Amino acid sequence: MRENSFRLAIMPGDGIGVEVMEAATAVLEAIEKRHDIGFKMERVNGGARQYQETGVAMTEEGFEAAERADAILFGAMGSPDIRHPDGTEPAPQLDMRFRMKLYAGLRPIRAIPGVPLALASPRASEIDFALVRESTEGLFASRGKGIVTDDKVATDTMRITRDVTERVSHFSFKLAERRARRRKRKGTVTLIDKSNVFRSFAFMRKIFFEVASQHPDVTAAQHSIDATALDLIRRPWDFDVMVTENMFGDILSDLGAGLVGGMGFAPSADIGDDHALFQPCHGTAPDIAGQGIANPVAMILSTAMMLDWLGARHSSEACLEAADEIETAVDAAFGAGSVRPYDIGGSDGTGAIARAIIERLAPRARV
Ligand code: ATP
């Protein structure tokens, strides 16, 4: 395989996952033509619809194809009306997080020029923080293991381990170091917890500050989850990198998305030591699926995150440049006010948004 050639597992899934994935692969094809990068895309099927038809949401071959790939690009999977007999939804994306140990759920929250912001303060345009959601334990460790006793009491247990807390803390500090280099200022990592009440969080906090001592160039801070909910509305521009438990991260990442235009603008990555999966924060949005009106920006920015991760992991300047180029093209398309998707009151469909972004990729090639 030539240098700068990557195998991608492409998992569109259900609902708008399929539609936004088409937009992302169109961007990747444009990037391929402009940079010295080759993508071998292998489509991997799975999701709620497949579960309904076959009884299996993701086959073992599907998981293995994803594990063989250099990176996984994922649309969305699920459907509220397709459920297991116990009432839960089939969720291969959660299975993959646990199976491939994708402990760092990275959700960058950045104000995109031209996209309406929820907060009236002029400082809202400075919002630029990264939330790291631990994604393999916490309260979600209880998934499938909750107990209901005599139809009277239900219990789910939160699990915090030293090993994963160390890994996700190191990940967060390294991320802050990288962001600090790019932004030319000192980085800060804030642990979000409830350590004044729960032993599990007090344990997490202790380990976080142990790891912090190995990253002296970054400021380490701690903030309670309740105060964070308040401050994400009052002064979200003050945060840099935040790291938190799985369930808290699940909630805060939607709050963050709401600050910067909504789910259609919120990308994410699930990163482990050996694998990484990139997907928009949004789900399958059954209410708008099949109409061609889904906003593909979250998916396209997730694709840029994938290129950034591949670039850093494989020392590929071409991938790093391509990642920056996509982000800049998104900013240019929205900054110019030339496109407006339906979710922010416009009338540009998925294809029109993708085309506007592709047209604004920098007019030069590296080949
Ligand atoms: P999940 O439980 O998988 O997160 P959900 O149904 O709770 O899924 P979403 O599928 O993310 O949540 O949808 C939440 C709302 O946001 C819906 O009204 C949906 O139409 C809207 N939405 C989500 N993603 C997009 C998008 N890319 N473009 C436009 N609207 C979107």
Side-chain angles (χ1 to χ4, degrees):
M1 205 181 264
R2 74 183 165 103
E3 210 188 335
N4 278 338
S5 174
F6 300 100
R7 286 164 307 173
L8 306 180
I10 303 289
M11 307 176 108
D14 301 301
I16 64 164
V18 179
E19 299 164 43
V20 295
M21 183 63 85
E22 254 177 55
T25 50
V27 170
L28 280 176
E29 279 158 18
I31 287 290
E32 238 180 345
K33 289 197 189 111
R34 310 158 60 73
H35 291 266
D36 186 19
I37 314 176
F39 299 112
K40 188 169 179 299
M41 302 192 213
E42 182 183 356
R43 188 183 163 115
V44 180
N45 291 322
R49 200 60 56 199
Q50 177 171 302
Y51 175 78
Q52 191 176 44
E53 285 161 11
T54 66
V56 181
M58 174 75 67
T59 61
E60 182 56 27
E61 295 83 69
F63 283 121
E64 285 171 13
E67 282 164 344
R68 272 196 309 274
D70 292 309
I72 304 158
L73 204 53
F74 188 99
M77 291 186 184
S79 176
D81 54 329
I82 303 175
R83 293 184 183 247
H84 290 130
D86 70 357
T88 60
E89 284 185 45
Q93 61 274 36
L94 294 183
D95 298 330
M96 280 193 284
R97 281 180 202 160
F98 283 78
R99 181 177 165 134
M100 299 183 200
K101 300 188 170 54
L102 308 177
Y103 54 83
L106 173 57
R107 283 96 200 274
I109 306 291
R110 183 178 69 89
I112 296 172
V115 174
L117 298 162
L119 301 178
S121 166
R123 293 206 63 190
S125 62
E126 295 169 33
I127 294 173
D128 177 15
F129 64 89
L131 179 69
V132 181
R133 165 190 176 185
E134 193 295 311
S135 300
T136 58
E137 52 181 33
L139 193 54
F140 279 66
S142 190
R143 179 176 169 245
K145 298 181 195 146
I147 300 166
V148 180
T149 310
D150 297 335
D151 205 27
K152 290 202 172 106
V153 181
T155 313
D156 279 294
T157 305
M158 181 152 73
R159 180 181 162 87
I160 301 288
T161 65
R162 168 172 282 280
D163 178 51
V164 171
T165 305
E166 283 179 354
R167 283 173 203 267
V168 79
S169 300
H170 275 300
F171 178 93
S172 305
F173 282 102
K174 284 189 206 147
L175 175 67
E177 285 159 3
R178 189 158 177 232
R179 284 169 59 94
R181 277 196 296 277
R182 285 192 173 184
R183 290 164 178 77
K184 300 189 174 32
R185 55 154 171 68
K186 191 169 185 195
T188 301
V189 181
T190 307
L191 172 71
I192 311 300
D193 65 23
K194 193 74 184 171
S195 52
N196 55 335
V197 176
F198 294 102
R199 288 189 76 172
S200 51
F201 281 119
F203 178 65
M204 187 177 198
R205 178 182 174 156
K206 177 175 84 112
I207 296 166
F208 169 80
F209 280 105
E210 282 171 19
V211 172
S213 66
Q214 297 169 48
H215 298 271
D217 294 341
V218 178
T219 302
Q222 180 273 345
H223 213 45
S224 281
I225 179 68
D226 42 340
T228 304
L230 177 71
D231 284 337
L232 276 181
I233 303 300
R234 235 169 31 159
R235 51 178 190 92
W237 40 84
D238 284 343
F239 290 99
D240 180 9
V241 174
M242 308 163 94
V243 59
T244 192
E245 180 271 338
N246 207 341
M247 183 71 162
F248 287 171
D250 187 29
I251 299 164
L252 291 183
S253 60
D254 274 28
L255 199 167
L259 292 173
V260 294
M263 302 308 285
F265 292 94
S268 86
D270 294 310
I271 299 175
D273 293 335
D274 303 315
H275 305 280
L277 180 152
F278 301 83
Q279 65 172 128
C281 283
H282 62 73
T284 54
D287 53 336
I288 58 161
Q291 300 172 42
I293 61 171
N295 179 357
V297 170
M299 182 78 236
I300 290 172
L301 288 175
S302 304
T303 308
M305 289 175 77
M306 178 187 76
L307 291 169
D308 187 63
W309 180 81
L310 283 170
R313 188 175 175 86
H314 299 276
S315 305
S316 163
E317 273 305 314
C319 280
L320 293 172
E321 280 177 22
D324 276 349
E325 197 177 306
I326 295 173
E327 255 197 32
T328 306
V330 168
D331 287 7
F334 284 91
S338 48
V339 278
R340 210 170 164 85
Y342 284 82
D343 55 349
I344 54 168
S347 55
D348 291 308
T350 315
I353 306 280
R355 279 191 297 280
I357 293 167
I358 290 169
E359 275 166 19
R360 283 169 178 79
L361 292 170
R364 59 135 201 57
R366 249 178 81 92
V367 202

